[in-house]
Amino acid sequence: MHSRRLLVLFSAVALFASAAPAAAQSVPLPREAQIGPRPFYLVDKMKDGPLKEKLSQCTGPFHKTDFSIGHRGAAMQFPEHTKESYTAAARMGAGIIECDVTFTKDRQLVCRHAQCDLHTTTNILSVPALAAKCSQGFSPADPATGKKASAKCCTSDITLAEFRSLTAKMDSFNPDATNVADYQNGTPRWRTDLYAASGTLMTHDESIALIKSLGAKFTPELKSPEVPMPFDGDYTQEKYAAQMLQAYKAAGIPASDVFAQSFNLADVLFWIKTEPAFGAQAVYLEDRYEKQGLDPAKPETWKPSMAELKSSGVRILAPPIWTMLALNDKKEIIPSEYAKAAKAAGLDLIGWSLERDGPLNKGGGFYHRSIKPAIDRDGDTLTVLDVLAKQVGIRGMFSDWPATTTFYASCMGMK
């Protein structure tokens, strides 16, 4: 009788353990990428033609690929640069995952899209002790004068320990808010707060450990400081740039698995000079359209030129989607002169960022601005991706929802 009771007890314990909440267990990644229904929805919404027909017949299997790069993780539906967002990107087959890197008051590296975005990407304004440390506290909107709500909270305002105490949320704000709660409640309707109740912020070191465990490669972006450099006396831009790569060396990550990025050409050239193994695949992010009026149709506005970039040691250029595309007389999407010149100069191209414009029924926004007349439905996402992959010849694509890029790459037999 005693042994029978023990058997019942052990059985109950085993049953309880098997029913334990998933959050308390380590859930392994599936062997194949899990892409969900969205890629198939996009295929259904495509214009009729050979590409739609080919993709309609694609049912998998779907596999992890370096062509699919998790832009801030899977930021369409998960708070960006969080454990949850990175894990979702890996499950969807992203072979490379991005941590945008910036620093705290005590010079520790963390993953945030901008140094001063804590007021829109975390709950910092709801934590009085930390909100008081923000560069600019919350200022409510004033409907009478038309003044918009504002705030400015930077990672450099707080220590690493204080950063760790925050919770991530979807990057958004309500400019018409008259109180903090409303200010933080601005997620666009085409995104969701469904997975944003408890976003886990990541330090740079934690992101390295997590992404390694997920079996993916790394593309850290050194974010431009929004404080004067040198910071706090002697923390120079060069020390900051070196610190980022040192973290991968300390973690035993091979340089071949790291695609370091920066919008600052000087950072890329610094890596090429001081860390040639990492510099060999450092990524120069294109923003000269914003800084110096770069026009993808006018080579005289590309300074430095494609050939000069290549001769300086740059091997990978990463422009926004719109700079690589143009329309012909039939309003068909074709490679831009900029894209053709980059490839002719021997530069590899990585595009950013797919699935970031939201619904495309009205032509999209920033990312499709050069081809708006040809964009009128969500399915055009895959048409654009096909032109970039086959005609432009990009080596990878950042996406806010990596299932889409994984689906395309798998269906087209890309590695």
Side-chain angles (χ1 to χ4, degrees):
M1 189 72 174
H2 179 67
S3 60
R4 184 178 297 176
R5 286 179 179 175
L6 284 176
L7 179 60
V8 171
L9 176 60
F10 290 152
S11 299
V13 169
L15 179 62
F16 175 80
S18 66
Q25 299 179 5
S26 177
V27 182
L29 289 176
R31 292 183 178 180
E32 297 174 358
Q34 305 295 300
I35 64 170
R38 180 165 177 79
F40 302 101
Y41 161 81
L42 294 176
V43 173
D44 288 343
K45 297 300 181 183
M46 292 179 70
K47 299 177 181 73
D48 291 337
L51 180 61
K52 180 176 182 178
E53 183 176 350
K54 180 177 178 65
L55 294 177
S56 295
Q57 297 172 3
C58 181
T59 57
F62 304 105
H63 57 82
K64 180 178 68 177
T65 167
D66 288 356
F67 181 81
S68 182
I69 306 173
H71 183 238
R72 315 183 197 180
M76 178 186 282
Q77 295 195 12
F78 290 84
E80 62 188 42
H81 297 306
T82 59
K83 177 182 178 181
E84 295 79 7
S85 188
Y86 293 159
T87 302
R91 290 184 183 282
M92 287 188 275
I96 305 173
I97 298 175
E98 178 185 46
C99 166
D100 289 332
V101 178
T102 188
F103 56 86
T104 60
K105 186 176 182 179
D106 46 353
R107 304 183 186 184
Q108 299 301 302
L109 301 184
V110 296
C111 299
R112 288 292 85 201
H113 176 63
Q115 187 167 54
C116 297
D117 72 2
L118 295 182
H119 51 290
T120 65
T121 64
T122 76
N123 66 333
I124 191 169
L125 292 176
S126 299
V127 184
L130 298 184
K133 297 185 177 186
C134 289
S135 294
Q136 176 194 325
F138 173 70
S139 177
D142 186 346
T145 64
K147 174 179 171 289
K148 297 300 184 181
S150 64
K152 184 178 180 181
C153 302
C154 308
T155 56
S156 51
D157 292 333
I158 60 176
T159 66
L160 178 62
E162 291 167 334
F163 175 86
R164 287 179 182 276
S165 71
L166 297 174
T167 298
K169 72 179 193 69
M170 293 298 283
D171 183 12
S172 63
F173 71 99
N174 177 2
D176 299 316
T178 57
N179 58 69
V180 165
D182 287 346
Y183 182 78
Q184 295 186 317
N185 184 22
T187 303
R189 292 178 62 186
W190 55 271
R191 289 183 174 164
T192 181
D193 287 319
L194 188 62
Y195 308 112
S198 57
T200 307
L201 292 174
M202 301 292 290
T203 68
H204 181 223
D205 285 345
E206 289 169 345
S207 81
I208 294 173
L210 175 62
I211 293 170
K212 179 181 179 181
S213 75
L214 295 171
K217 297 178 183 177
F218 312 80
T219 184
E221 180 191 335
L222 194 75
K223 301 304 297 188
S224 297
E226 296 187 42
V227 293
M229 299 292 278
F231 175 71
D232 194 27
D234 64 346
Y235 189 55
T236 65
Q237 182 72 22
E238 290 75 17
K239 286 183 179 180
Y240 172 38
Q243 182 184 4
M244 187 181 85
L245 293 190
Q246 180 57 38
Y248 293 92
K249 295 166 71 174
I253 305 297
S256 58
D257 285 351
V258 182
F259 297 82
Q261 315 169 66
S262 180
F263 280 105
N264 182 0
L265 181 57
D267 292 334
V268 177
L269 298 179
F270 173 75
W271 292 325
I272 291 170
K273 179 180 179 180
T274 62
E275 294 285 356
F278 288 92
Q281 56 186 33
V283 181
Y284 174 39
L285 294 164
E286 179 67 87
D287 70 347
R288 291 174 292 172
Y289 58 88
E290 192 173 65
K291 292 182 176 179
Q292 60 189 56
L294 179 147
D295 184 331
K298 298 178 179 179
E300 64 271 18
T301 67
W302 313 339
K303 299 177 181 178
S305 69
M306 300 300 182
E308 288 169 337
L309 283 177
K310 179 68 175 179
S311 65
S312 71
V314 175
R315 298 185 184 181
I316 306 175
L317 178 64
I321 289 170
W322 71 269
T323 64
M324 294 186 283
L325 300 176
L327 297 177
N328 63 16
D329 294 340
K330 298 178 182 180
K331 291 188 177 181
E332 297 168 330
I333 303 172
I334 60 173
S336 69
E337 293 303 312
Y338 170 98
K340 290 188 286 187
K343 294 297 290 184
L347 293 168
D348 284 351
L349 292 171
I350 293 176
W352 51 275
S353 294
L354 206 69
E355 299 273 48
R356 193 156 183 84
D357 261 351
L360 299 183
N361 58 305
K362 296 182 180 179
F366 168 82
Y367 296 94
H368 297 83
R369 71 189 220 184
S370 63
I371 54 171
K372 273 182 174 289
I375 303 297
D376 63 10
R377 64 194 70 195
D378 288 345
D380 289 332
T381 296
L382 290 168
T383 303
V384 166
L385 185 58
D386 188 63
V387 174
L388 289 167
K390 290 184 177 177
Q391 297 185 45
V392 173
I394 60 172
R395 65 178 288 167
M397 172 58 72
F398 281 97
S399 178
D400 276 26
W401 201 243
T404 302
T405 39
T406 297
F407 168 79
Y408 176 85
S410 296
C411 292
M412 295 300 176
M414 302 169 67
K415 294 182 179 180

